[in-house]
Amino acid sequence: MDSFKRYFSSQKGRKVAVVGMGISNLPLTELLTEFGAVVSVYDKKSPKELGERAEALEKKGVRFVFGEDYLENIEEKLIFRTPGLLPTAPALVRAAESGAVITSEMELFYELCPAKLIGITGSDGKTTTSTLIAEMLKAEGYRVWLGGNIGTPLLNLIPQMSESDICVTELSSFQLMDMKRSPDIAVVTNLAPNHLDKHSSMEEYARAKTNIFRHQSEKGILVTNADCGATAELAREASGELRLFSRRERKENGIFLSDGEIVSSIGNKEKTLFPISEIKIPGMHNVENYMTACAAVYDLCGTDAMRKVAREFGGVENRLEFVRELRGVKYYNSSIDSSPSRTTAALGVFGEKVIIIVGGSDKHISFDSLGDTLCQKAKAVILAGQTGEKIARAVRNSRFFETEAPAIVDAGSVVSAVGEAAKLAGEGDVVLLSPACASFDAFKNFEERGKVFKKAVLSLE
């Protein structure tokens, strides 16, 4: 019996709690139920609100505890938490103090996965870098599984995997916070203030990220950003091989830029991989994403596979995604930009000043530096969401702000913002959705926000 069947068979008759019926925990709950565990699901929403699969689980005997006080009486000794509920939540702390084991779908996946594991985290660039790594490996001929925080649960797919496969997993700070396993190859793209609405401090957020490499053996590989002070500092804690990437200077055993080319010095042997002019997706931040990916797959892929992806890969949905051109105005969807640093990077792609749509739910991050950037890079700032007034204040308080430059328009919603942008835009202009905030004030996730934006853009006449 393989480890997957052995584990789930061992849960037969055991009382198990699943906290939060999200994308990853739904297939986990189905597996536990299939193998005979006695499952209780704790969620604010009722089975009917959660959808048909949840209602089907209820009919199979799964107990649902829902409502505002759903976390008050968790009594199970094995608890799978949803990523959005941190292990520091009072209910989980109480459960742990009473002897419960707090774990997660992702930690269980890492325990049972038979394939080689590559994990990617960071404040910016996780999804693009994860996708680039997966595409390079596919181009080399590997069978690749891509999932995790990128949206695809992988636990239920383990029976289809083999030791010769490679799993590429995007990991958030929420998933990593109590992880006790690390991937064979760990990647930290960068660190900047993010998710401070949930993490108690920047220190807690950064410490969560380190779990991606903290449990590696000396055979592990850590790839991280030499140009980011926070990640360069964390890299000192690496127990395995360290590979740094840099746009600014040559690195020993790393990846760097030289005369417009991406160059490797891994193994202390210098080798040109490809010129950055071959990269199809725009922006210097995407050059960094390519350097990161090349460092991660260097032992697994040849230069031909790397170059093929550079020449052919057109980008990931919701990340500087071109939507349409109408009357000479180009519209771009970068709904994934949920922090000021991401929006700053997105604005850096465009040579001209853009009409930008910003705002969303409040993550308690300062917008001061974003205010400076918007004054320098935006022709107009259109506000859509809970944080609109905070962003407007940051723009007006910037030393670069001039009277009505950039113009500030409070549209209230993303759909209204598209209409306002269309009124302001003329031939040659760019309209960019790059919110600098999370989406939860109006949407269930950034993907839904992106879809609403694209629908509104495509509806323009």
Side-chain angles (χ1 to χ4, degrees), residues 150-167:
I150 204 169
T152 304
L154 295 173
L155 181 65
N156 57 318
L157 301 178
I158 285 178
Q160 302 174 42
M161 299 178 186
S162 69
E163 291 183 2
S164 60
D165 295 348
I166 300 178
C167 286

Side-chain angles (χ1 to χ4, degrees), residues 46-63:
S46 68
K48 186 174 182 179
E49 291 174 302
L50 289 168
E52 293 180 0
R53 290 172 71 181
E55 289 187 276
L57 285 167
E58 187 178 37
K59 290 176 182 177
K60 291 181 179 179
V62 173
R63 182 173 74 108

Side-chain angles (χ1 to χ4, degrees), residues 327-342:
R327 291 187 288 276
V329 180
K330 293 180 179 178
Y331 292 81
Y332 289 87
N333 165 34
S334 204
S335 182
I336 184 64
D337 298 341
S338 59
S339 67
S341 60
R342 291 195 73 117

Side-chain angles (χ1 to χ4, degrees), residues 236-455:
R236 296 180 182 181
E237 302 177 29
S239 54
E241 179 186 345
L242 176 62
R243 295 178 181 176
L244 296 174
F245 65 89
S246 174
R247 284 168 44 187
R248 301 173 185 167
E249 57 187 4
R250 187 188 187 282
K251 288 295 171 186
E252 298 293 331
N253 200 54
I255 300 282
F256 58 94
L257 284 187
S258 178
D259 296 326
E261 294 184 312
I262 295 179
V263 180
S264 167
S265 60
I266 294 172
N268 295 315
K269 182 179 180 181
E270 204 159 295
K271 177 182 179 182
T272 297
L273 302 182
F274 52 85
I276 63 174
S277 60
E278 292 189 352
I279 296 175
K280 187 175 180 179
I281 52 178
M284 190 53 69
H285 65 295
N286 278 318
V287 173
E288 288 188 338
N289 292 336
Y290 267 94
M291 289 194 292
T292 314
C294 290
V297 304
Y298 188 79
D299 301 321
L300 302 166
C301 291
T303 307
D304 288 347
M306 298 177 190
R307 294 186 76 164
K308 182 177 189 297
V309 174
R311 291 168 174 168
E312 297 178 3
F313 179 68
V316 180
E317 187 179 13
N318 294 304
R319 292 151 184 85
L320 286 172
E321 175 192 8
F322 177 70
V323 180
R324 76 181 294 195
E325 182 173 347
L326 178 65
R327 291 187 288 276
V329 180
K330 293 180 179 178
Y331 292 81
Y332 289 87
N333 165 34
S334 204
S335 182
I336 184 64
D337 298 341
S338 59
S339 67
S341 60
R342 291 195 73 117
T343 293
T344 297
L347 285 166
V349 170
F350 302 97
E352 68 273 39
K353 288 190 174 184
V354 309
I355 297 170
I356 186 169
I357 299 170
V358 293
S361 57
D362 197 342
K363 297 164 77 175
H364 304 297
I365 299 171
S366 171
F367 294 116
D368 290 347
S369 62
L370 179 65
D372 291 344
T373 303
L374 291 173
C375 286
Q376 294 170 302
K377 301 288 291 183
K379 177 179 178 180
V381 177
I382 302 179
L383 308 170
Q386 184 185 81
T387 55
E389 182 51 39
K390 282 189 175 183
I391 296 173
R393 193 181 310 126
V395 172
R396 293 191 181 103
N397 289 341
S398 168
R399 67 187 187 277
F400 301 109
F401 182 68
E402 300 175 9
T403 303
E404 301 306 320
I408 301 173
V409 179
D410 189 353
S413 71
V414 167
V415 173
S416 296
V418 170
E420 294 295 333
K423 292 177 188 176
L424 292 172
E427 186 171 353
D429 279 335
V430 166
V431 174
L432 169 67
L433 171 68
S434 180
C437 302
S439 59
F440 304 119
D441 58 332
F443 306 99
K444 64 181 180 181
N445 51 40
F446 73 85
E447 291 98 339
E448 182 183 43
R449 178 169 61 189
K451 287 179 181 177
V452 169
F453 171 77
K454 288 193 288 185
K455 183 178 179 181

Side-chain angles (χ1 to χ4, degrees), residues 31 51 72 159 184 352:
L31 280 169
E72 289 303 308
D184 303 291
E352 68 273 39

